[in-house]
Amino acid sequence: MHAKKSEEQGPRRGRSFDSAYEEKQLNNEMNKVTFSRIDENQDNRSISKGRPSSSQKGGATIIFSLKNEIGGLVKALRFFQEKHVNLVHIESRKSKRRNSDFEIFVDCDSDHEQLKELSQLLRKHTDIVEILPSDNSTLPDDKTADAPWFPKKISDLDQCANRVLMYGSDLDADHPGFKDNIYRKRRKYFADLAMSYRHGEAIPHIDFTAEEVRTWGVVFRELNNLYPSHACKEYLKNLPLLSKCCNYREDNIPQLEDVSRFLKERSGFTIRPVAGYLSPRDFLAGLAFRVFHCTQYVRHSFDPLYTPEPDTCHELLGHVPLLAEPSFAQFSQEIGLASLGASDDAVQKLATCYFFTVEFGLCKQDGRLRAYGAGLLSSISELKHALSGKAHILPFDPVVTCNQDCMITTFQEVYFVSESFEEAKNQMREFAKTIRRPFTVCYNPYTQSVDVLKDTSSINSMVKDIRHELDIVEDALTRLNKHQKV
């Protein structure tokens, strides 16, 4: 879900409130209220750090309705200040219930008593739509008490998949579709579908418009002309399979449900629709469970070769073919597993490594450079640039790569090349060992959950499972030797 935004120049990042006056007033309060802004210099999918952790506080999401009146937002935010509640993320949107109202979406850190007092204040002056305390019951012991919350089973992704940093229907003023009311309405349709999705449900079937199919067709045709000479072997192997099994064609946009089933059979990955940008922590957490958060909307038709955000063209053409490759799927999952319970700084380093591999990575094959990063494989101009011989290319080394600046509005200043996915995976494993956590995690594919290895009991349990699998290997070798002797 980390996407290269444009063919030449990407978007400017930022948050805008619906009232210019309130934004001015809010800025005056900035020194009094802790408020995390979206970082304009981080990669496109991972644009905000996760919620700060505290052993004494828990996170909560509060959504309250605000009447369209001057000063209403500032008044509400003063309640957070009075109760010393730290605001981690905030955004506004039109109310889905009454057109005359606004809804304010707030992520905050607070203890139970603070949250109770705050909710009582807010109820007197606003209409609270929903309060969602983070479920910390999955972290019951002192080994994980100081760690940020993380999902422990695949259904837990329902708790973080909708924590989008920007609603999918709210477009920046410089977005190609900003003044197109029909396009904005269509984007809201896709956003609402994603926001209502829950684990275990079938991904809704989309009847794409003729205009959307034409836009997809332009991107599909132009990129397919480059793939034979620019894409890695694994990509070229899987793309025809997607054409056969999921109807990848110039005149047809594949359905995410079909793609998800295909990936499940090939590599164990599944697709989950998402309304917009997720934080690095929430996005990487999905990868830990072999879940790829995927947008379903199509870029604006004004310029099919430009998009200020990841869309279904980027996801389906850039990411999916390699997610079908078992070795690449394992590499992606291990980045996700390393992020669970890690500090904000560690998560950001992992997200940067993800950006320069899964999004913009290069590999060597038959003595030539080939692209495997989705940001490259979905961007015609940057794909050409990266393999032109003019780009600055360095060997992939997580220790070095994690400190590299991610360029959003221009081509990358440097690209990193790996000898193979296996080599990159081994490097990331070693890098993950340097992340400070009082525990490690292991994915259980049978239950689609993660086991927290935090004490001798949990480790012994894992050792028993390994011994059983080694018994199977030993039995297979014994039978093979007998067969060869015969």
Side-chain angles (χ1 to χ4, degrees):
M1 271 184 89
H2 297 268
K4 180 64 178 176
K5 307 272 195 352
S6 72
E7 293 302 315
E8 295 183 6
Q9 182 174 359
R12 293 185 298 276
R13 278 263 160 258
R15 185 195 296 103
S16 61
F17 288 100
D18 299 290
S19 165
Y21 175 84
E22 287 198 356
E23 182 174 7
K24 182 178 179 180
Q25 294 298 310
L26 181 63
N27 287 335
N28 292 334
E29 298 291 316
M30 290 296 284
N31 292 328
K32 304 176 183 177
V33 182
T34 302
F35 187 95
S36 295
R37 287 186 175 273
I38 292 176
D39 186 345
E40 298 184 1
N41 296 319
Q42 294 184 26
D43 64 88
N44 47 357
R45 182 81 59 161
S46 300
I47 52 181
S48 176
K49 292 185 177 181
R51 178 182 290 134
S53 63
S54 171
S55 59
Q56 302 300 319
K57 293 189 177 184
T61 296
I62 303 176
I63 303 175
F64 56 89
S65 183
L66 194 68
K67 291 184 179 180
N68 191 8
E69 59 182 12
I70 293 178
L73 176 59
V74 174
K75 292 176 184 176
L77 291 183
R78 285 201 181 107
F79 296 141
F80 289 82
Q81 177 190 355
E82 291 173 8
K83 295 303 174 183
H84 305 288
V85 174
N86 178 37
L87 300 185
V88 178
H89 175 73
I90 180 172
E91 63 184 61
S92 64
R93 67 178 179 186
K94 280 280 190 178
S95 173
K96 295 182 179 180
R97 301 178 304 154
R98 292 192 294 269
N99 291 332
S100 61
D101 288 2
F102 293 100
E103 286 180 356
I104 307 301
F105 179 100
V106 177
D107 269 345
C108 60
D109 281 328
S110 67
D111 58 34
H112 178 73
E113 192 61 32
Q114 281 180 318
L115 185 62
K116 181 180 177 180
E117 294 175 0
L118 177 62
S119 64
Q120 290 174 347
L121 277 175
L122 286 174
R123 289 185 196 281
K124 294 179 181 179
H125 301 275
T126 67
D127 182 9
I128 293 184
V129 178
E130 199 169 9
I131 298 179
L132 301 171
S134 289
D135 180 11
N136 289 316
S137 61
T138 56
L139 303 177
D141 55 85
D142 57 353
K143 292 288 187 181
T144 54
D146 292 333
W149 178 90
F150 62 90
K152 293 190 66 180
K153 54 184 184 295
I154 193 170
S155 60
D156 285 347
L157 295 178
D158 285 345
Q159 299 183 41
C160 54
N162 287 345
R163 296 198 300 213
V164 293
L165 302 180
M166 234 180 284
Y167 284 93
S169 57
D170 289 348
L171 309 180
D172 289 342
D174 59 352
H175 191 286
F178 180 73
K179 297 181 179 180
D180 187 337
N181 290 330
I182 295 177
Y183 181 77
R184 291 174 68 94
K185 183 177 180 180
R186 184 67 167 164
R187 286 292 296 269
K188 184 179 184 304
Y189 167 74
F190 284 113
D192 290 345
L193 284 179
M195 295 290 280
S196 63
Y197 178 84
R198 293 296 178 268
H199 170 70
E201 298 176 350
I203 302 174
H205 183 280
I206 301 297
D207 292 322
F208 289 100
T209 66
E211 184 176 36
E212 288 169 339
V213 174
R214 283 195 297 272
T215 300
W216 157 273
V218 171
V219 179
F220 184 91
R221 181 175 61 254
E222 293 296 324
L223 285 171
N224 270 268
N225 290 334
L226 293 176
Y227 288 153
S229 58
H230 289 69
C232 65
K233 290 180 179 179
E234 292 81 0
Y235 186 96
L236 296 176
K237 178 184 72 175
N238 290 324
L239 189 59
L241 296 177
L242 286 161
S243 297
K244 177 182 178 181
C245 301
C246 301
N247 294 315
Y248 268 53
R249 301 194 312 269
E250 183 177 331
D251 62 351
N252 179 72
I253 302 176
Q255 296 293 326
L256 291 191
E257 179 65 19
D258 294 337
V259 174
S260 186
R261 290 177 180 174
F262 173 82
L263 290 177
K264 181 70 174 177
E265 294 180 358
R266 298 287 301 181
S267 68
F269 253 87
T270 57
I271 296 292
R272 180 179 178 123
V274 69
Y277 299 96
L278 295 176
S279 70
R281 185 179 299 282
D282 290 341
F283 177 74
L284 294 181
L287 297 181
F289 296 87
R290 297 208 173 202
V291 171
F292 184 75
H293 289 89
C294 186
T295 55
Q296 207 166 7
Y297 52 80
V298 181
R299 63 191 64 182
H300 195 267
S301 61
F302 175 76
D303 185 357
L305 301 185
Y306 167 84
T307 176
E309 67 212 322
D311 70 334
T312 201
C313 299
H314 166 78
E315 317 283 33
L316 295 177
L317 292 173
H319 283 287
V320 167
L322 280 168
L323 284 175
E325 190 65 26
S327 60
F328 184 81
Q330 180 69 23
F331 172 70
S332 299
Q333 183 183 28
E334 294 201 7
I335 295 179
L337 287 169
S339 75
L340 298 182
S343 68
D344 290 340
D345 181 64
V347 168
Q348 193 55 49
K349 288 181 177 180
L350 289 168
T352 302
C353 287
Y354 177 95
F355 185 84
F356 283 106
T357 53
V358 179
E359 288 292 349
F360 291 95
L362 299 174
C363 61
K364 292 180 181 178
Q365 293 182 340
D366 299 328
R368 301 184 64 181
L369 289 179
R370 288 290 183 266
Y372 71 87
L376 295 175
L377 292 168
S378 60
S379 172
I380 296 167
S381 59
E382 187 153 14
L383 181 57
K384 291 179 179 178
H385 167 73
L387 299 181
S388 66
K390 299 178 182 179
H392 184 203
I393 297 173
L394 295 174
F396 174 64
D397 178 357
V399 176
V400 176
T401 304
C402 73
N403 294 311
Q404 180 65 37
D405 290 334
C406 303
M407 308 305 294
I408 302 303
T409 60
T410 63
F411 293 159
Q412 300 307 310
E413 293 178 349
V414 61
Y415 301 90
F416 294 91
V417 59
S418 301
E419 295 293 334
S420 65
F421 298 146
E422 194 66 27
E423 180 191 65
K425 182 170 62 179
N426 290 335
Q427 289 176 297
M428 283 306 301
R429 280 177 179 167
E430 292 302 312
F431 182 69
K433 293 177 183 178
T434 67
I435 295 176
R436 294 183 178 180
R437 292 184 299 186
F439 58 88
T440 190
V441 295
C442 178
Y443 180 66
N444 186 328
Y446 304 110
T447 60
Q448 293 185 296
S449 62
V450 292
D451 298 325
V452 179
L453 305 179
K454 57 187 180 299
D455 51 36
T456 55
S457 176
S458 58
I459 294 173
N460 285 335
S461 178
M462 182 178 181
V463 169
K464 290 180 182 179
D465 292 338
I466 294 174
R467 284 174 179 168
H468 174 66
E469 293 185 2
L470 288 175
D471 286 341
I472 296 175
V473 173
E474 183 181 10
D475 180 61
L477 290 172
T478 300
R479 293 174 185 272
L480 179 62
N481 289 334
K482 288 181 179 179
H483 178 73
Q484 290 177 339
K485 289 179 180 178
V486 172

